[in-house]
């Protein structure tokens, strides 16, 4: 969708809206890998993704302590935050099984998943000033 170039947003809501638009293209078993520093807007993007999938999105926050949070929309969304995990621990989460079950899996701090599936989409969010972010979405 945005392979043509990065998207610029100027608010949290605009970043969420970008996630919401992406939801229209998501199929069961899709993996969305999110990269970006703390505060980049990864969780905001996933909030929009949840909304776009018809899941209750207001309570979408970083699942730092739960590791995996499930939201029930037209396709189940699994929101994962790997921040506190080592790559070896990530292997034990069973992310591949969730993908095989047809869930959509959106992952913050995705570099800690050493071996994501080949068809995964990669969302990169970079700070570009106070409220400005540059978002690139590849593989979609
Ligand atoms: P992350 O999950 O990447 O750590 P969050 O989505 O939790 O980031 O937080 C992003 C923070 O940055 C929020 O406080 C949000 O209000 C703020 N913010 C400011 N501008 C933007 C923007 N353009 N897109 C997303 N978040 C923004
Ligand atoms: Mg987050």
């Amino acid at each position: 969708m945005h392979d043509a170039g990065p998207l610029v947003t100027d608010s949290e809501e605009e970043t969420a809206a970008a996630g919401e638009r992406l939801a229209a293209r998501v199929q069961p078993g899709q993996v969305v890998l999110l990269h970006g520093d703390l505060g980049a807007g990864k969780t905001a993007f996933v909030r929009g993704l949840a909304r776009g999938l018809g899941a209750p999105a207001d309570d979408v926050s970083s699942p730092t302590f739960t590791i995996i949070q499930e939201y029930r929309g037209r396709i189940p969304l699994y929101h994962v935050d790997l921040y506190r995990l080592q790559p070896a621990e990530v292997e034990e989460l069973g992310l591949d099984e969730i993908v095989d079950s047809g869930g959509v899996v959106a992952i913050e701090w995705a570099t800690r998943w050493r071996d994501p599936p080949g068809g995964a989409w990669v969302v990169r969010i970079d700070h570009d000033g106070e409220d400005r972010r540059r978002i690139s979405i590849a593989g979609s």
Side-chain angles (χ1 to χ4, degrees):
M1 169 164 64
H2 297 296
D3 286 350
L7 169 79
V8 175
T9 68
D10 284 297
S11 69
E12 179 175 348
E13 178 47 36
E14 282 182 36
T15 294
E20 186 171 1
R21 287 196 300 276
L22 192 69
R25 306 164 56 90
V26 159
Q27 298 294 325
Q30 182 64 53
V31 172
V32 181
L33 306 171
L34 293 128
H35 300 290
D37 294 338
L38 201 64
K42 301 180 294 298
T43 297
F45 190 95
V46 174
R47 193 173 297 122
L49 194 60
R51 197 163 67 201
L53 289 171
D58 287 348
D59 58 339
V60 173
S61 57
S62 286
T64 306
F65 295 100
T66 48
I67 311 293
I68 302 179
Q69 184 70 52
E70 183 183 353
Y71 297 97
R72 292 250 156 223
R74 68 175 169 84
I75 308 170
L77 171 67
Y78 295 83
H79 182 197
V80 185
D81 190 323
L82 301 180
Y83 186 65
R84 290 156 57 87
L85 299 189
Q86 298 300 320
E89 298 174 301
V90 174
E91 302 306 316
E92 292 163 18
L93 285 179
L95 296 176
D96 292 308
E97 285 79 359
I98 296 176
V99 172
D100 289 345
S101 78
V104 173
V105 184
I107 304 179
E108 302 193 33
W109 300 99
T111 51
R112 295 187 191 164
W113 191 7
R114 288 278 186 249
D115 194 21
W121 297 345
V122 179
V123 176
R124 180 170 298 283
I125 310 179
D126 289 305
H127 283 83
D128 188 12
E130 199 168 333
D131 288 339
R132 178 161 288 184
R133 305 288 189 271
R134 286 183 181 275
I135 305 175
S136 69
I137 304 174
S140 58

